[in-house]
């Protein structure tokens, strides 16, 4: 049986760019477009060339992208004006896009209230726009804005809008759930009805995530006949976002209900890039990757319980719905309170620590983990601290330096211009190769001051730590009261944007932070093969 072709349409650079707190530079856009193109996305909606200089620049370089059809977005031509007398519409027509997606109202209420034109004028504007796009040799598409709400209020008119575009030659008529409030069963029913009028291989779906159903709605539309699926990387988009292509694509390729019936431009080989591509977007946005993201999150294939861990090592299928490698992710078995030998072994394997299965060091390590967990340590979020501890107990981490002592002062006083300020100063004595160096650091808080002092002069190791940047610092109070135990988690990053996580625990917050900072530095030295004497 031959499979039916389903087309993927990405709108990260247009709808995603409208998300709260997102502002892509042209370099960001090029990087994202390149990732999408290499993944095998059929259409990349690049924005508003002609209206926005960044987008004009992006479109002018579209020849670099081999596979994807570069699509411009804009409004249909204004009612009551000819195409040549509508500068906005003319600008899109003259852009360097391969395809043009126009948006039009398909809810009679909006036509009346927002556009203040007659229903028929809107239909005319739709068909004339589609014809003009076609005449300019570009692939025409129409986004039917508010289609589902419109259909529920006036099905005949919503269908008339879609049909006007199709009859005028639109390659795709996209049904948009603009407010994102429609549920999967309604989507499936309505798309089934629309597909009786417009063939499914000309129908697209554009779903928003306001009820957390954008992916489900997209799959519902696919089942009902739509063959173009729109979405964005990581679900980025206005309000709660769009359908998440990063979740949708693995489902289409790995779940037999869809994989057996449909073919998409993304191959199983390319699918292995998807975890990476999801992270690329996070990097561009300077966001921490979502641990719990389906398929690609660091926790997506993480197992905690000791008993599950032994089963998962024997047969991963018992606890995994798909193979993590299929999406470029990896299996992770947490070292947890239920830590057992099998957890430890699989963790050592993950860090490529070579050790014989009967090495007595493994039992010592297991004991140490349990004792530390009883004190409040948690290694689920602190891979680097765990790896350091394991390697130390198995004897492979050299001693790089010692901190003989540290002192931190916090002072609240009036400054020279009489303002009340709180300043912190830290002094550390570091011993490198029996040479003691004393450094002083100042900061806006005690931890910041301590970090400054620690990294001021580490002797011959200085070059290795110069590029460490602390990107996140989290404090968790484990028991109540001012005498509580504090757990500190530090996230560090180097100039290649590699990240690592370390942990410290103490009744004293400065002490806990110190421990996590020291682990971070030691980890960097070990990883970069700084040599100890
Ligand atoms: Zn949208």
């Amino acid at each position: 049986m031959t499979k039916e072709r389903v087309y993927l349409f990405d709108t990260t650079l247009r709808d995603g760019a409208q998300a709260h707190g997102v502002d892509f530079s042209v370099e960001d856009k090029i990087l994202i477009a390149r990732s999408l193109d290499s993944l095998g996305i059929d259409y990349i909606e690049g924005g508003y060339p002609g209206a926005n200089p960044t987008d004009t620049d992006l479109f002018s370089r579209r020849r670099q992208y081999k596979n994807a059809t570069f699509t411009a977005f804009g409004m249909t031509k204004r009612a009551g004006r000819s195409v040549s007398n509508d500068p906005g519409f003319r600008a899109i027509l003259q852009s360097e896009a391969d395809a043009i997606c126009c948006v039009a109202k398909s809810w009679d209420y909006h036509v009346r209230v927002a556009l203040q034109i007659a229903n028929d004028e809107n239909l005319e504007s739709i068909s004339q726009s589609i014809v003009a796009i076609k005449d300019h040799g570009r692939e025409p598409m129409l986004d039917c804005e508010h289609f589902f709400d419109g259909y529920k209020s006036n099905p005949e008119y919503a269908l008339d809008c879609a049909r006007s575009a199709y009859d005028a030659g639109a390659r795709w008529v996209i049904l948009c759930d603009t407010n994102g409030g429609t549920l999967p069963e309604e989507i499936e029913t309505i798309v089934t009805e629309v597909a009786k009028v417009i063939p499914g291989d000309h129908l697209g779906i554009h779903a928003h995530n306001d009820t957390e159903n954008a992916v489900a709605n997209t799959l519902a539309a696919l089942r009902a006949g739509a063959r173009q699926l729109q979405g964005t990387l990581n679900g980025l988009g206005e309000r709660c976002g769009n359908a998440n292509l990063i979740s949708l694509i693995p489902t289409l390729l790995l779940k037999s209900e869809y994989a057996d019936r449909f073919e998409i431009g993304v191959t199983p080989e390319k699918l292995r890039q998807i975890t990476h591509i999801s992270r690329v977007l996070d990097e561009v946005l300077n966001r921490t990757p979502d641990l719990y993201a389906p398929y690609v999150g660091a926790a997506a294939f993480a197992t905690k319980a000791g008993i599950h861990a032994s089963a998962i090592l024997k047969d991963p299928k018992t606890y995994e719905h798909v193979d993590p490698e299929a999406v470029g992710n990896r299996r992770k078995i947490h070292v947890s309170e239920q830590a057992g030998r099998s957890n430890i072994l699989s963790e050592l394997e993950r860090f490529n620590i070579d050790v014989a299965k009967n090495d007595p060091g493994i039992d010592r390590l297991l004991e140490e983990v349990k004792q530390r967990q009883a004190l409040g340590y948690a290694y689920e979020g602190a891979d680097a601290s765990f790896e350091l501890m394991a390697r130390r107990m198995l004897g492979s981490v050299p001693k790089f330096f010692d901190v003989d002592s540290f002192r931190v002062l916090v002072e609240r006083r009036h400054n020279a211009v009489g303002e009340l300020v709180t300043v912190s100063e830290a002094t550390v004595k570091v011993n490198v190769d029996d040479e003691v160096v004393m450094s002083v650091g100042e900061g806006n808080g005690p931890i910041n001051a301590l970090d400054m002092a620690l990294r001021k002069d580490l002797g011959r190791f200085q070059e290795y730590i110069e590029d460490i940047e602390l990107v996140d610092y989290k404090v968790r109070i484990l028991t109540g009261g001012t005498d509580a135990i504090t757990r500190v988690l530090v996230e560090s990053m180097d100039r290649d944007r590699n990240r690592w996580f370390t942990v410290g625990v103490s009744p004293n917050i400065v002490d806990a932070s110190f421990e996590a900072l020291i682990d971070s530095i030691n980890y960097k030295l070990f990883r970069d093969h700084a040599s100890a004497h």
Side-chain angles (χ1 to χ4, degrees):
M1 187 181 95
T2 53
K3 293 184 189 180
E4 255 187 278
R5 182 71 158 85
V6 168
Y7 294 83
L8 297 173
F9 183 109
D10 178 277
T11 180
T12 306
L13 301 177
R14 199 274 302 170
D15 215 327
Q18 283 166 253
H20 186 75
V22 171
D23 186 19
F24 294 130
S25 66
V26 72
E27 285 75 24
D28 294 340
K29 288 195 169 198
I30 289 166
L31 177 65
I32 294 167
R34 209 173 275 150
S35 302
L36 291 166
D37 186 50
S38 112
L39 181 63
I41 299 293
D42 301 291
Y43 293 92
I44 300 175
E45 192 166 56
Y48 308 78
N52 175 338
T54 310
D55 294 349
T56 308
D57 197 359
L58 177 75
F59 275 81
S60 69
R61 307 192 211 183
R62 82 189 195 290
R63 293 285 167 238
Q64 300 174 4
Y65 312 111
K66 291 167 213 74
N67 311 307
T69 300
F70 243 68
T71 310
F73 182 80
M75 306 278 283
T76 46
K77 79 157 194 71
R78 277 201 256 163
R81 277 197 187 192
S82 62
V83 166
S84 51
N85 191 27
D86 182 335
F89 188 74
R90 257 194 5 244
I92 331 172
L93 279 185
Q94 284 156 5
S95 75
E96 293 191 56
D98 307 311
I100 294 172
C101 184
C102 273
V103 58
K105 311 276 182 206
S106 55
W107 186 356
D108 59 350
Y109 171 76
H110 279 259
V111 173
R112 203 169 56 243
V113 175
L115 296 181
Q116 300 186 323
I117 56 172
N119 282 351
D120 282 351
E121 285 183 278
N122 186 45
L123 298 181
E124 256 172 46
S125 166
I126 291 173
S127 54
Q128 287 174 6
S129 301
I130 295 295
V131 167
I133 295 168
K134 225 180 149 181
D135 288 348
H136 270 75
R138 313 291 158 77
E139 187 175 329
M141 301 184 206
L142 187 82
D143 257 3
C144 295
E145 195 181 55
H146 296 293
F147 183 83
F148 293 93
D149 295 320
Y151 187 91
K152 282 186 271 182
S153 138
N154 183 347
E156 290 77 25
Y157 187 67
L159 275 177
D160 280 347
C161 293
R163 199 177 3 222
S164 297
Y166 177 65
D167 290 346
R171 168 65 186 93
W172 294 104
V173 178
I174 297 105
L175 312 178
C176 302
D177 186 26
T178 309
N179 288 343
T182 314
L183 296 173
E185 49 275 29
E186 288 178 298
I187 296 268
E188 196 157 356
T189 308
I190 294 173
V191 175
T192 303
E193 289 306 310
V194 179
K196 289 175 186 166
V197 179
I198 296 171
D201 59 6
H202 288 268
L203 279 181
I205 178 76
H206 177 100
H208 275 268
N209 204 29
D210 298 72
T211 69
E212 187 83 26
N213 276 301
V215 168
N217 283 346
T218 305
L219 292 171
L222 171 62
R223 290 193 301 271
R227 295 295 175 260
Q228 189 210 80
L229 313 180
Q230 299 204 346
T232 59
L233 296 178
N234 296 348
L236 191 72
E238 241 185 322
R239 301 186 311 276
C240 314
N242 287 60
N244 185 355
L245 290 178
I246 298 288
S247 299
L248 191 63
I249 292 169
T251 298
L252 294 174
L253 278 170
L254 299 174
K255 298 295 173 180
S256 61
E257 180 185 353
Y258 300 103
D260 294 350
R261 282 183 64 193
F262 303 113
E263 188 184 26
I264 56 176
V266 182
T267 60
E269 292 69 42
K270 293 283 187 183
L271 183 64
R272 290 170 199 270
Q273 298 179 7
I274 206 156
T275 297
H276 173 72
I277 289 173
S278 168
R279 306 276 160 89
V280 165
L281 182 70
D282 289 326
E283 286 299 335
V284 166
L285 295 171
N286 199 17
R287 289 183 181 173
T288 309
D290 177 8
L291 266 179
Y292 308 103
Y295 294 107
V296 300
F301 299 97
T303 306
K304 195 161 188 174
I307 179 166
H308 290 180
S310 15
I312 212 165
L313 287 177
K314 282 189 204 108
D315 181 7
K317 278 199 194 111
T318 48
Y319 290 95
E320 284 168 359
H321 72 116
V322 297
D323 177 1
E325 279 170 25
V327 290
N329 205 341
R330 55 182 192 171
R331 180 172 303 129
K332 184 170 176 181
I333 296 172
H334 283 321
V335 184
S336 68
E337 312 83 66
Q338 295 111 321
R341 238 175 166 271
S342 48
N343 293 48
I344 296 278
L345 281 172
S346 74
E347 282 296 278
L348 296 179
E349 198 180 297
R350 183 155 71 91
F351 296 121
N352 294 317
I353 301 176
D354 226 359
V355 59
K357 291 227 177 340
N358 55 3
D359 189 315
I362 294 171
D363 294 308
R364 283 202 303 275
L365 178 61
L366 182 57
E367 254 333 286
E368 181 74 16
V369 169
K370 284 181 174 168
Q371 276 180 21
R372 283 172 164 254
Q373 277 165 347
L375 291 173
Y377 286 84
Y379 290 102
E380 280 86 1
D383 270 0
S385 282
F386 178 82
E387 186 180 346
L388 265 185
M389 172 175 66
R391 290 190 185 276
R392 277 198 184 114
M393 300 210 53
L394 298 164
S396 59
V397 182
K399 191 161 199 62
F400 299 108
F401 64 95
D402 260 322
V403 176
D404 288 351
S405 67
F406 74 79
R407 186 176 61 202
V408 180
L409 296 172
V410 178
E411 189 185 9
R412 187 169 156 89
R413 57 170 163 80
H414 291 277
N415 67 9
V417 291
E419 294 163 338
L420 192 60
V421 291
T422 306
V423 289
S424 301
E425 189 188 281
T427 311
V428 294
K429 276 189 196 162
V430 184
N431 185 329
V432 183
D433 308 328
D434 292 328
E435 189 190 344
V436 179
V437 181
M438 193 175 84
S439 304
V440 178
E442 280 179 8
N444 52 15
I447 314 302
N448 184 224
L450 186 62
D451 180 41
M452 293 291 160
L454 263 175
R455 294 199 281 141
K456 201 169 226 175
D457 188 357
L458 209 55
R460 62 192 173 87
F461 298 122
Q462 191 62 22
E463 56 171 311
Y464 293 95
I465 67 167
E466 216 92 79
D467 68 328
I468 300 181
E469 188 190 330
L470 297 190
V471 277
D472 202 7
Y473 171 78
K474 286 194 196 88
V475 175
R476 180 95 170 259
I477 308 297
L478 299 179
T479 48
T482 49
D483 59 346
I485 299 282
T486 304
R487 178 163 71 217
V488 166
L489 200 68
V490 164
E491 180 180 356
S492 313
M493 188 169 78
D494 65 15
R495 71 168 67 85
D496 300 325
R497 302 184 81 78
N498 297 305
R499 290 159 190 264
W500 63 99
F501 299 80
T502 52
V503 64
V505 171
S506 167
N508 182 312
I509 186 171
V510 177
D511 209 36
S513 308
F514 173 77
E515 191 184 353
L517 291 172
I518 290 289
D519 261 12
S520 170
I521 294 173
N522 272 307
Y523 179 80
K524 177 74 160 52
L525 294 178
F526 176 78
R527 200 205 59 197
D528 289 357
H529 310 289
S531 62
H533 276 247

